[in-house]
DNA sequence: GATTAATCGAGACGGTACGTCAAGTCTTGAT
DNA sequence: ATCAAGACTTGACGTACCGTCTCGATTAATC
């Protein structure tokens, strides 16, 4: 998977996609125009959320960004690579971690903000990638690392703080609650035609998460 | 969306995809060979589960079924249409409804069998379609009707029988439990690299569903 | 090459296309509808003179004649076969042989009538076939036998009568004159945009044919 | 009709096909690879003379030239267009104009070389196009301009030199002789199974053309 | 009069070529 | 070495046609 500002040939697969931003060694010729990165990613995002992954064409992205296709392929190896990087780029540091002293308040805050984030263009883009996951291990890894894990980790920390505060019983099924939470958000986002809104989040917290945690 | 054995132009969109099998009004020419329907659907299923949706080509399906491409396009409007119909066709009547007199036993039975069904080729195919849902309203409707609703309905009936038997408190959050169940299955199937197996199902029932129902 | 009213499998290649009309042995089932022959030939002729050989489709011919394609293929082996037979059918007995006692009058009469015949639909059809001649030996043979030879023979007889009457010197280059005549008619018909009309025929006779014959 | 190195949309129909070679206005992208033009034309010529016009497929031409089909369609609008251009390209400057001081020698020289040219692949290709002439006015114009007119013009000049030298009577039917000559060559080339060889040319000159010119 | 078999229109069938379009690579001149 | 532009190969797309086959419905000759 190509990495922005790194020679395509360099293999640094072990790194996280998130830390992809990196500079070319030094170079003798004209330096890369960093503004093209942003323009291309934005173009990709626009096209992706408008027509979906399958109907996204590299020519369309190039045209949207008034760029040449080579300028894209100099940065990313493939259409898939471009889309992955574009999406993960946006997820980074978009996950706030509330700490208001109450597990119920923290849960609500976090889920509401995460839900509204998923409702945006990133959510649409993510959905477009789901179909590719089984046949693209790299994509699958990146997807989990960028979309699933961070949300999971924040959530787990929230709950653990609640445990330490004594709000939650010690033997609460944390893993299960975390999984349920992620699953329900994604489910509504991608499969159901029901809204992923505040009402839903509140109901989820009150009827499922809190009861399970309180035992 | 084209319907087998009905002229493509005929609009009977209101019907369920499941009941799609239908005969042309009268027709004086050579009738459609019903065995081609099956052969094509099977070929589509094979190719789909082998290489995924994006890499599935109509030529490959045609070759697999020893059919001409026109024979495919006579029945379905597009690659997407073929795949949708092929999948929904398979989901029908694959959902058993256990009734062993105990909500816990019924839940376990049902989830185990549904999970193993999802793990099969149909699940793989379904995943390939998720990315298209936002841009294909018809597909979305068919998907929900075939994949989501039947499972939901069976589950709800299971729970309601439990309520009637007095196993479950009357004010249990049935809708939420139903949604959680579906969401968790799909989540594991499509997004996580963790297995959708018996252990997972049992844990889900014991740690989440039963507690929520018992209150 | 198939022959009307004869089983396709019967090989009677030695016969002239012209004598193609022939009856099936006896047969037990429903007899061929002779009126379909004519309808199909006429339909073929119409389509051929309208859109040319390449753009002629069997479906179009069938539709024009309100016939099924099988009804065509029962009579002719292929598109080419149909067209050949249709054309040669029309050439037969369309070549009058004038005998007014003067070579000049006979020549003029004959060429005028032949020219007007060529100007009709048969000429258009014939032109459509020229491109196939090099790759279809059977067609080439039929074409020569039906289009070229009869005209040549009549012409040669006309000239020989002139020789016998003493109008023409005995050592006139008859073969060459005959060839020139045919060549010039075809040339104007197929390649030139100049008309194949009475004026042209008269000029040909006066400026070329008669001088050559008189020496 | 498309023109090499000119955008297909540009309408410069008034120009001769022969002068078709032309450069795009300025163009900032990668310029057309001129070597592909030649490779494609040669491939077309090879396929054409091997299998004929009808059996010529664009895929075959592309494969022969190791080119993509898009590369063909970027230059020519259709199979017919490709073939026309390929042929007319070859005719240009293939017509020598002998001047040995004697009409008889000049005629013989010219006809022999033209006949041997026609006997080659270009002649075969030309034949394949005759059937399309009535339905393709552009083709017809190009065909006449490339195949018919140049030969006619050279011939007429030959004869006129003979007139000026006093070899030929002033009132010789030049037009008719010219037309006869072209007609007889084409006739043998395309319709007859008799050879278009030296013997035929000599006979034509001796028995028809010279007598008509000498009166 | 019932049977039989070949015909009829209609149109589905396998196959092949069509002309279009997208992915990813390469080549211009210019910066 | 980069940029925009766009030509390049490859390969799938969905359409159209050929020649074959299959359906129900005629239509004679045979039984």
């Amino acid at each position: 998977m190509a990495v922005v500002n790194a020679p395509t040939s360099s293999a640094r697969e072990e790194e996280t996609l998130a830390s992809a931003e990196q500079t070319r060694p030094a170079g003798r010729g004209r330096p890369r125009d960093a503004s093209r990165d942003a323009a291309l990613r934005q173009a990709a995002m626009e096209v992706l959320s408008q027509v979906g992954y399958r109907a996204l064409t590299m020519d369309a992205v190039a045209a949207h960004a008034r760029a040449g296709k080579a300028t894209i392929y100099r940065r990313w190896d493939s259409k898939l690579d471009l889309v992955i990087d574009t999406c993960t780029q946006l997820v980074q540091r978009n996950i706030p971690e509330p700490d208001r002293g109450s597990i119920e308040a923290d849960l609500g805050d976090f889920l509401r903000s995460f839900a509204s984030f998923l409702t945006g263009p990133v959510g649409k883009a993510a959905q477009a990638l789901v179909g590719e996951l089984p046949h693209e291990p790299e994509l699958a890894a990146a997807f989990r690392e960028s979309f699933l894990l961070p949300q999971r980790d924040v959530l787990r920390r929230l709950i653990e703080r609640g445990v330490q505060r004594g709000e939650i019983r010690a033997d609460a099924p944390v893993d299960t609650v975390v999984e349920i939470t992620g699953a329900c958000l994604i489910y509504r986002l991608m499969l159901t035609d029901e809204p992923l809104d505040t009402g839903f989040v509140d109901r989820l917290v009150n009827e499922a998460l809190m009861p399970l945690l309180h035992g």
Side-chain angles (χ1 to χ4, degrees), chain A:
Chain A
M1 188 177 305
V3 168
V4 167
N5 282 333
T8 298
S9 56
S10 88
R12 25 169 304 293
E13 307 294 358
E14 74 288 348
E15 292 198 24
T16 306
L17 271 167
S19 61
E21 213 70 33
Q22 189 167 314
T23 46
R24 234 174 350 109
R28 285 224 306 174
R30 169 176 173 176
R32 290 248 177 104
D33 181 347
S35 75
R36 305 319 288 138
D37 292 28
L40 286 168
R41 265 197 270 253
Q42 184 181 335
M45 208 64 221
E46 285 169 14
V47 176
L48 188 60
S49 60
Q50 279 169 23
V51 302
Y53 176 77
R54 226 194 42 210
L56 174 147
T57 71
M58 295 306 255
D59 292 88
V61 173
H64 253 248
R66 291 201 146 278
K69 277 202 289 179
T71 303
I72 302 181
Y73 282 103
R74 212 171 282 122
R75 291 165 163 77
W76 297 279
D77 281 342
S78 66
K79 170 175 158 174
L80 185 57
D81 200 19
L82 163 64
V83 172
I84 293 172
D85 182 59
T86 299
C87 293
T88 54
Q89 194 75 10
L90 288 175
V91 185
Q92 295 316 115
R93 325 212 180 289
N94 256 320
I95 304 182
E97 185 164 347
D99 189 356
R100 288 168 48 190
S102 144
I103 178 67
E104 196 160 359
D106 285 358
L107 264 182
D109 273 17
F110 172 66
L111 290 188
R112 272 188 293 273
S113 73
F114 195 67
S116 83
F117 169 67
L118 285 179
T119 304
V122 177
K124 279 177 187 148
Q127 179 158 13
L129 298 178
V130 171
E132 313 297 328
L133 297 182
H135 305 94
E136 304 278 351
E138 248 184 277
L139 170 58
F143 188 91
R144 283 171 201 133
E145 207 161 343
S146 306
F147 274 85
L148 269 38
L149 287 191
Q151 178 258 356
R152 251 167 136 113
D153 290 347
V154 172
L155 200 55
R156 194 184 311 273
R157 278 197 295 273
L158 249 58
I159 295 174
E160 276 161 7
R161 276 203 300 273
V163 173
Q164 286 169 357
R165 280 193 300 260
E167 291 180 285
I168 300 172
R169 62 188 170 96
D171 62 340
V174 179
D175 285 348
T176 300
V177 167
V178 168
E179 187 162 1
I180 285 176
T181 310
C184 286
L185 291 177
I186 299 291
Y187 190 68
R188 283 244 164 169
L189 174 66
M190 297 187 179
L191 300 183
T192 298
D193 53 353
E194 295 160 312
L196 180 54
D197 58 7
T198 306
F200 167 71
V201 167
D202 291 344
R203 187 162 64 83
L204 184 63
V205 172
N206 294 329
E207 295 190 355
L209 306 187
M210 290 311 296
L212 287 173
L213 292 172
H214 278 138

